[in-house]
Amino acid sequence: MPITIGGDDIMKVLDYVKSKLPYFILAMMILGLINGYLNDVGYLKKLVTPTLFLMIYPMMINLKVTDLFNGFKNPKPLILSVVINFLISPIIAFGLSKVFFKNSPMLMVGLILISLIPTSGMTASWTGLANGNMKTALVMISGNLLLSILIIPLYMKLFLGEVVTINTISIINSLLKVVIIPLILGDLTRRLIIKISGEKRYRELKPNFGSISSLGVLFIVFIAMSLKSKTIISKSELVFYSLIPLVIYYAILLLISHVVGEKILDKKNRISLVYGTTMRNLTVALGLSLAAFGGSLAVFLIAIGYIIQVPLAAFYMQLVKKQALN
């Protein structure tokens, strides 16, 4: 009797991949390093653009830009997130880069990119799991991502102009390919689904888009690690050394967001603020790094971010739940 695999089975597999994403990313990093070290992988460069689209576009279907207008009813959490994401976060990253990466400009690029692109779909997911304010989380996702499109070219020149050649037009073109076009197509796709099948059907499909995006992340990590395998393996001590500033960056950001939120916001909005600042949009950062700088060590640093970010989010959720019991 033949075995048949249906759409539901495929989505279950993708959902499982999404739930265990850090482990799969670590596995794909190792496989990519082995592949790149043993084989000629030049052909993979042709797959970068379509894989980036597979990674970014499904995620953008779930981004509802009109959520931003809800933030005007209670602007304080959004304003705090903007200050932390676009003032405090890049300053922390720049300071750490100067200390740890002064001789490794591409690792500096990776950390600065992480610091400039806040809030992913995981912001909403973790906020919901920790019983935070979901409406506030959605406002932060929309507002901060849109603002990052305007700020990234300026900040890249400001923070990195002395260490790497920053072509502002190239950065804008990369943003166009990696963020703006997928954002427009994602918005049109969401509207089309709702128009044809209704809001209820869209909500049923919504989790699947994030799962497909996770698959794109795995492919792009494999490609990036394959292309930079020989460089990474030859600088293995630098790779392990790069973990230190990344962990410090996330720890400081979480602490600042928690303390500020505790002093100024109610509990639910404080939870939203913490996840709206510590959950960096690594998917967009990865795509922008590949589009603007090619398969550099920046990609490696951003990929490590996935492995650190999820345990950090889980740690804070447990902290919140423990506080609720006391």
Side-chain angles (χ1 to χ4, degrees):
M1 185 176 177
I3 298 174
T4 57
I5 299 176
D8 289 342
D9 296 318
I10 293 172
M11 291 319 304
K12 284 178 182 177
V13 171
L14 290 178
D15 287 342
Y16 179 76
V17 169
K18 184 182 177 183
S19 68
K20 305 293 183 182
L21 191 59
Y23 303 106
F24 280 102
I25 285 173
L26 183 59
M28 294 304 276
M29 288 174 72
I30 295 169
L31 288 173
L33 290 171
I34 295 170
N35 180 50
Y37 191 76
L38 298 177
N39 303 308
D40 179 10
V41 293
Y43 69 94
L44 288 175
K45 292 179 182 177
K46 297 178 182 177
L47 299 178
V48 170
T49 300
T51 307
L52 284 177
F53 187 78
L54 172 66
M55 181 175 72
I56 303 290
Y57 166 64
M59 180 182 72
M60 293 301 186
I61 297 174
N62 287 342
L63 181 65
K64 195 173 180 181
V65 177
T66 52
D67 286 331
L68 180 58
F69 296 110
N70 295 326
F72 297 125
K73 297 174 184 176
N74 181 20
K76 195 181 292 183
L78 178 61
I79 292 169
L80 287 173
S81 73
V82 167
V83 170
I84 293 172
N85 283 327
F86 297 111
L87 184 60
I88 296 173
S89 170
I91 288 174
I92 295 169
F94 183 69
L96 290 169
S97 295
K98 281 291 187 181
V99 173
F100 289 92
F101 298 146
K102 56 184 177 182
N103 298 318
S104 305
M106 282 300 117
L107 289 174
M108 184 181 284
V109 167
L111 188 53
I112 294 295
L113 273 176
I114 289 172
S115 75
L116 290 180
I117 311 177
T119 68
S120 65
M122 293 305 292
T123 297
S125 301
W126 285 107
T127 298
L129 288 170
N131 297 318
N133 190 324
M134 281 292 289
K135 289 183 178 178
T136 299
L138 294 172
V139 167
M140 288 179 184
I141 292 170
S142 303
N144 283 278
L145 183 59
L146 290 176
L147 192 56
S148 70
I149 295 171
L150 302 174
I151 285 178
I152 286 171
L154 301 174
Y155 271 33
M156 291 293 283
K157 195 77 173 178
L158 176 65
F159 288 109
L160 297 169
E162 293 182 3
V163 291
V164 293
T165 302
I166 299 295
N167 186 327
T168 305
I169 299 301
S170 175
I171 296 292
I172 292 171
N173 285 336
S174 298
L175 281 168
L176 189 69
K177 289 188 292 184
V178 173
V179 182
I180 299 172
I181 291 176
L183 178 64
I184 293 169
L185 291 176
D187 186 70
L188 291 173
T189 302
R190 187 188 71 256
R191 292 173 187 272
L192 191 62
I193 292 171
I194 293 172
K195 185 176 181 180
I196 294 173
S197 304
E199 182 77 31
K200 183 181 177 182
R201 180 57 178 160
Y202 164 69
R203 293 188 182 278
E204 290 172 354
L205 293 172
K206 191 175 180 179
N208 298 338
F209 300 127
S211 300
I212 294 169
S213 184
S214 298
L215 191 64
V217 169
L218 295 182
F219 285 151
I220 208 70
V221 167
F222 176 78
I223 291 170
M225 292 301 104
S226 295
L227 291 173
K228 293 304 294 181
S229 174
K230 291 182 174 63
T231 303
I232 291 170
I233 290 172
S234 67
K235 297 182 178 180
S236 56
E237 71 288 345
L238 185 62
V239 164
F240 289 109
Y241 179 70
S242 67
L243 283 168
I244 299 170
L246 200 55
V247 170
I248 294 172
Y249 165 78
Y250 273 106
I252 293 174
L253 200 60
L254 187 145
L255 183 63
I256 290 173
S257 299
H258 175 77
V259 171
V260 170
E262 201 165 44
K263 289 184 179 297
I264 299 176
L265 303 174
D266 60 79
K267 181 184 175 182
K268 286 184 175 292
N269 280 319
R270 185 246 299 167
I271 292 169
S272 303
L273 178 69
V274 170
Y275 285 119
T277 51
T278 55
M279 294 292 99
R280 316 311 292 174
N281 201 323
L282 299 174
T283 305
V284 172
L286 199 61
L288 189 57
S289 175
L290 272 168
F293 300 99
S296 67
L297 281 174
V299 171
F300 173 81
L301 191 77
I302 295 167
I304 292 175
Y306 283 100
I307 299 168
I308 295 172
Q309 193 163 272
V310 173
L312 185 78
F315 163 77
Y316 188 73
M317 183 181 71
Q318 293 302 320
L319 186 68
V320 168
K321 290 183 176 179
K322 189 176 180 181
Q323 284 181 335
L325 292 173
N326 293 337

